[in-house]
Amino acid sequence: MNKNGNIGVTSENIFPIIKKFLYSDHEIFLRELVSNAVDATQKLKTLASVGEFKGELGDLTVRIKFDENTITISDRGIGMTAEEIDKYINQIAFSGAEEFVKKYKNNDAAAIIGHFGLGFYSSFMVSKKVEIITKSYQEGAQAMKWSCDGTPTYTMEECEKEDRGTDIILYIDDENKDFLNEQKISGLLTKYCRFLPVPIAFGKKKEWKDGKYVDTDEDNIINDTHPAWVRKPSELKEEDYKKFYQDLYPMSDEPLFWIHLNVDYPFHLTGILYFPRIKNNIDLQRNKIQLYCNQVFVTDSVEGIVPEFLTLLHGVIDSPDIPLNVSRSYLQSDQNVKKISSHITKKVADRLEEIFKNDRKQFEEKWDYLKLFIQYGMLTDEKFYDRASKFALVKDVDGKYYTLEEYKTLIKDNQTDKDGTLVYLYTTNKDEQYSYIQAAKDKGYSVLIMNGQLDVHAIGQFEQKLEKTRFVRVDSDTIDRLIAKEDANQISLSEEQREALQEIFKSQMPKLEKAEFMVTLEALGEHTNPVVLTQSEYMRRMREMSAMQPGMAFYGEMPDSYNLVLNTDHALVQDILAGEEAACSEKLQPIQADMKGWKARQADLREAQNKKKADEITEAEKEDMTNTNKKIADLREEINHILDEYAGGNKKVSQLIDLALLSNGMLKGEALSNFIKRSVEMIH
Ligand code: ADP
């Protein structure tokens, strides 16, 4: 039966599509043709197993060969009869091709090919002519040769073929000659066909003989037909999982642990997911999961198929139920994909919980590598948060690990403040914040280490989720105020004395571009440090978040704001105040007396004006107020000038400020060198 004809109904449209629009991804032709060969082989095996094929299966290896002009893919599968060629190859029945092409112009080839079931026709992306020589497995079948040169016409004629099965011969066109290369083909086979379930031979194994490589008789099989994920977990040992990981990612660190996925219902899913050791950079580790469809490699970008945080895992997912050749946005709304995604999330949480429950020691040992992954999951996936909050750990400065529940129990009694808020203390740097940690420990408080990339976000989340809970960094205030137990001790200083102390220190604070200093007074007890430098928790957190989130640049621009707390109970601070009074009171007293008078006047004016409506206040009254304010400001300036002069000549003030800066790691360069010089002088 010879037959010539036109391919399909709207076939004119196919070749332009293939040639023009499918160009980007054209290497997938090999994947398509080899998978067809594998399918044909698997079908024959199935027929044999149900007794419909009674002949010898024999060697079922799929072979790939090439020469200067052609690539040939041969199988010993079911083959095709003339009718089947007609039905499966010639009648490419689809409608609206043109419309589709317009719509998907920019889509990738895989999407279009998949949409039309054009696997076989992808061969025309690289070929000027394609031949099919095929003989059906059915008894007495006539071998057929089909040939098409890239126009919508084909020829089909009877031919001789000894063996059942199919040879697809591609006459590679001029633009694609680079595919006629051993390395190139071998690379593509490794990428797409490495785990196909039927042996794939590409040429022969080579051996070194007489100074060069020569072919042996043995087939060069490029694939592993039984990769670990298709085997039963009970057949596999720990080494097998580790070895498979090394096969997938040569030269990688050993994984922490893994999950073997195996679902039959309501969707099919197999695979092995590995937890890698994640140290720091989230992005570096992404896109390591490989997606397969019945052991055919499809892609290694699985966003949209698994929740974002799971893309940090490594390994293989294999499912024929993930619609592969559709857009990502479509994928996300696909019911199967949703089910698969939540199944995987659940399995991951289960596995972590299982290790946590059965082997807490191992879990703690690995926590530092797992932390980023788990936090990422908790921050981006509500369901995962609910699961993971049972086993997520926090670590204190002594390296002890607690679950959130355990930690709460630990600190509940001692670290609840007078308003009933539970205060979690943390440090981001054990060394830099040493003295603050020490101060907390002296009170019997516990301090957590929160120095991870996502900790600032995790803290925000905990504060939202845990009731009446506040996280504060140990250096964000004096310890008594971080966890305020009762109202703070009263400072027994007059207003003038307070103002004097504040001005003395404020005037000597360094002028830094990116930092702003305030001076406050507190009665911290005579045995606590005379000065402490603290940094507002809120502002610091905003800045840290702004570094990671667009749209918060405003906070990033703000200077760091620090608070120098003077301990009015400390002898040194009192000494400085006494020194100031001895040195300045003579000069200050008359000004202060004057000031008192003006302040009283200011208060009177204010009271009088407060009683009136804005439009009832006369010009004269307004002027009076302005003058009074100005007078007060002038006097203030005079006072400050006297105080600044005193402060400038007082080494103790500078020394205390520098000590506070030093204990925050903020004393550097010239300031540090001045400090050292001054210290030496003072010791003398
Ligand atoms: P798909 O594989 O998605 O069905 P293809 O265009 O790749 O689409 O193939 C169309 C049909 O041609 C296949 O379903 C199969 O019936 C037949 N076919 C393709 N290649 C072979 C082969 N090597 N052996 C037997 N049949 C084949």
Side-chain angles (χ1 to χ4, degrees), residues 372-388:
L372 203 61
F373 167 76
I374 293 179
Q375 280 185 333
Y376 193 19
M378 291 171 83
L379 285 164
T380 54
D381 195 304
E382 274 297 308
K383 274 198 194 134
F384 189 75
Y385 178 93
D386 294 339
R387 303 287 309 273

Side-chain angles (χ1 to χ4, degrees), residues 597-608:
W598 285 102
K599 278 203 168 161
R601 182 168 177 75
Q602 187 188 44
D604 288 348
L605 285 173
R606 239 183 229 153
E607 207 188 292

Side-chain angles (χ1 to χ4, degrees), residues 493-501 577 580-581 592-593 595-596 639 643:
L493 295 179
S494 70
E495 200 185 322
E496 278 89 7
Q497 286 175 315
R498 288 168 195 241
E499 283 174 359
L501 266 181
L577 185 62
E580 175 266 317
E581 282 172 342
Q592 277 165 343
M595 177 80 127
K596 243 188 193 140
I639 293 172
L643 290 171

Side-chain angles (χ1 to χ4, degrees), residues 32-33 36-41 43 73 75 77-80 84 88-89 113-114 116-121 134 165-168:
E32 295 298 318
L33 297 179
N36 280 350
V38 167
D39 286 348
T41 309
K43 280 180 197 158
I73 296 101
D75 66 66
I78 50 171
M80 283 180 276
E84 282 164 340
Y88 298 128
I89 304 292
I113 289 173
F116 288 113
L118 281 183
F120 165 72
Y121 276 95
T134 181
T166 304
D167 299 334
I168 309 280

